[in-house]
Amino acid sequence: MTHIAFLTPEYPHAVTGNSGGLGTSIKNVAIGLLAQGIVVRVLVYGQKHDAIFEDEGIIIQQIKNIKFKGLSWFLTRKKLEKIINELYKKKQIDLVEAPDWTGITSFIQPKACPLIIRLHGSDTYFCHLDNRPVKWINKFHEKRALQKADGLLSVSQFTADITNAVFGLNRKFVIIPNPIDSSSFYAKNKYTQKEKSILYFGSLIRKKGLLELPFIFNEVIANNPNARLILVGKDVPDVVSRNFSTWKMMQELFSDKAIRNVEYIGSVPYNEIKEKIEEATVCIFPSFAEAFPVSWLEAMAMKKSIVASDIGWAKEMIDHGDDGFLVNPKDHVLFAKRINDFLTDEELCLKVGELARNKVERYFDVEVLAKQNIEFYKSVIAKL
């Protein structure tokens, strides 16, 4: 029996604290592995205390960081290294997977346990896509971690190519997309919405195109005055302007006519997201910086018409004109036209939604991708 561990700063569970897309991706993979007979352990660092508990068959190990002025980063890594070595010696793990974010494994050198990295998008990667300077220390650790890894995965070819470019590397990455349990996101393909609504769900943040969205919706309203925009997600401070609220910045960009048809709900529990997707006519994702967003897969699995960014990773998820529309977020007029195409054409919505669902089932379902992950893990274990 194979034992796989995931080293992560976040995991979606009430005990381990807040989690974003990284934690959701890890949980989806973990659930798929568990169903295939793999023993899964999640090592969550940055916790308030050390503890171990079980979550639906997955072993969750909370790890408290070591606090020591000037050396916390190093001592915490050494603590993680010791834990990995002990688990491997006791045959409780056969391999550890870590994310690229901030290079947590840069100074972790297990004695025998294979250590691999999966690209979900490093700080250096996202800063590059967002045209922002990256902290040198983050770039140093992220590059060192990639150079030391025993194996490398990426959730998209685009992310692998950009990562090699920004770090000046020429590493080979095996591409395995983020998975989704499509059976948990099933929806009847019925066009029964009383009002034509547009849904965005995710953080309200510049890199996800939220400062382009008001201009897009202004164009939508100009041609479709009854359309409504629903925003669901956490309001995030803007790193460029230092404004404390992206939502506040957005409100100033909507036209007087458009703002009357905008509803910002804020964050909702993860299990309520499905309801919001179900109620929407169209889902939109005008993002400038992603790796392989699970939120897009969730909307596709629920047979929703999608208008999304046309940047890199998007073309590995959506075939433009077949199972969604891809548009540059800065082309406000065309982005709005594509939204209105769906709002005014019921047959188009139904057709695109069915194709989107079919693609998720064939290529991105957790059962399909779990098997690919297991093959990769076993190939790395066999080499060492």
Side-chain angles (χ1 to χ4, degrees):
M1 186 176 289
T2 306
H3 299 67
I4 302 297
F6 293 90
L7 180 62
T8 174
E10 62 180 57
Y11 188 78
H13 192 281
V15 173
T16 53
N18 294 331
S19 175
L22 171 61
T24 301
S25 301
I26 290 171
K27 184 168 185 177
N28 286 343
V29 174
I31 289 170
L33 296 178
L34 198 67
Q36 298 291 326
I38 303 296
V39 178
V40 180
R41 180 182 293 259
V42 181
L43 308 172
V44 192
Y45 60 90
Q47 296 290 291
K48 293 179 180 178
H49 56 267
D50 294 314
I52 297 177
F53 65 94
E54 195 171 297
D55 176 33
E56 298 178 344
I58 298 169
I59 303 164
I60 310 297
Q61 184 166 346
Q62 296 175 271
I63 301 168
K64 183 179 179 180
N65 289 7
I66 294 177
K67 301 292 184 182
F68 193 94
K69 190 174 181 179
L71 286 174
S72 295
W73 67 272
F74 181 75
L75 295 175
T76 295
R77 282 168 167 82
K78 289 299 146 184
K79 177 179 179 177
L80 294 171
E81 179 181 282
K82 183 179 179 183
I83 289 170
I84 291 168
N85 283 334
E86 288 175 350
L87 290 171
Y88 185 78
K89 186 178 180 181
K90 294 176 182 177
K91 301 188 183 302
Q92 293 180 318
I93 60 172
D94 298 307
L95 175 144
V96 174
E97 176 184 311
D100 48 342
W101 181 257
T102 66
I104 186 63
T105 59
S106 61
F107 282 83
I108 295 176
Q109 190 69 55
K111 292 178 180 177
C113 182
L115 196 158
I116 67 169
I117 289 178
R118 188 189 306 257
L119 302 184
H120 293 274
S122 62
D123 187 36
T124 307
Y125 168 86
F126 281 119
C127 284
H128 171 79
L129 293 183
D130 212 21
N131 295 311
R132 292 185 291 111
V134 63
K135 293 179 181 177
W136 73 267
I137 191 67
N138 285 353
K139 187 172 184 178
F140 167 78
H141 284 302
E142 288 172 347
K143 182 173 183 178
R144 179 179 167 87
L146 290 170
Q147 290 173 319
K148 291 169 63 270
D150 296 310
L152 294 167
L153 290 168
S154 178
V155 296
S156 70
Q157 186 63 56
F158 176 79
T159 303
D161 293 342
I162 295 296
T163 296
N164 267 330
V166 296
F167 289 112
L169 300 174
N170 187 28
R171 299 296 305 270
K172 181 181 178 181
F173 293 87
V174 172
I175 311 301
I176 303 180
N178 280 329
I180 183 177
D181 181 1
S182 56
S183 65
S184 295
F185 282 87
Y186 193 82
K188 295 177 181 178
N189 197 356
K190 289 185 178 180
Y191 199 85
T192 56
Q193 289 82 7
K194 294 178 181 178
E195 55 187 10
K196 302 303 171 66
S197 64
I198 304 156
L199 173 68
Y200 167 83
F201 61 102
S203 297
L204 272 60
I205 188 171
R206 180 186 292 263
K207 73 178 183 179
K208 290 185 180 288
L210 271 292
L211 295 183
E212 306 299 329
L213 188 47
F215 297 109
I216 292 169
F217 190 60
N218 291 345
E219 295 291 338
V220 171
I221 285 291
N223 293 286
N224 200 335
N226 294 321
R228 295 185 66 243
L229 175 63
I230 312 297
L231 304 170
V232 177
K234 180 184 177 183
D235 185 17
V236 177
D238 183 52
V239 294
V240 176
S241 67
R242 303 297 178 186
N243 195 303
F244 72 94
S245 168
T246 298
W247 168 233
K248 187 174 186 298
M249 296 171 68
M250 291 175 67
Q251 291 177 69
E252 298 170 358
L253 302 176
F254 287 107
S255 68
D256 291 340
K257 192 174 182 181
I259 192 67
R260 291 195 291 269
N261 285 25
V262 179
E263 180 182 1
Y264 173 43
I265 297 174
S267 296
V268 302
Y270 184 70
N271 57 6
E272 291 182 22
I273 289 293
K274 296 178 196 176
E275 296 175 20
K276 302 302 179 186
I277 300 173
E278 181 75 58
E279 294 167 0
T281 310
V282 184
C283 291
I284 57 171
F285 303 102
S287 187
F288 292 107
E290 303 279 5
F292 202 89
V294 173
S295 56
W296 296 24
L297 297 177
E298 292 170 348
M300 291 170 72
M302 295 190 72
K303 301 185 179 182
K304 289 300 165 179
S305 307
I306 293 176
V307 184
S309 165
D310 66 349
I311 299 170
W313 71 87
K315 295 164 189 176
E316 298 178 50
M317 301 184 75
I318 294 173
D319 290 311
H320 175 69
D322 289 336
D323 40 46
F325 286 132
L326 300 178
V327 185
N328 190 304
K330 288 188 176 294
D331 192 339
H332 306 145
V333 173
L334 182 56
F335 209 108
K337 181 184 182 304
R338 294 306 189 193
I339 293 171
N340 277 327
D341 286 344
F342 283 133
L343 293 177
T344 58
D345 192 334
E346 178 180 341
E347 188 176 329
L348 179 64
C349 266
L350 292 171
K351 178 185 174 184
V352 168
E354 285 289 347
L355 289 172
R357 170 72 191 186
N358 290 341
K359 176 176 276 188
V360 170
E361 288 179 340
R362 290 179 63 191
Y363 299 109
F364 308 130
D365 186 75
V366 66
E367 185 176 346
V368 174
L369 295 177
K371 293 173 182 176
Q372 293 181 30
N373 280 289
I374 292 168
E375 287 177 12
F376 177 78
Y377 295 145
K378 288 184 175 179
S379 71
V380 174
I381 293 168
K383 289 177 185 176
L384 298 174

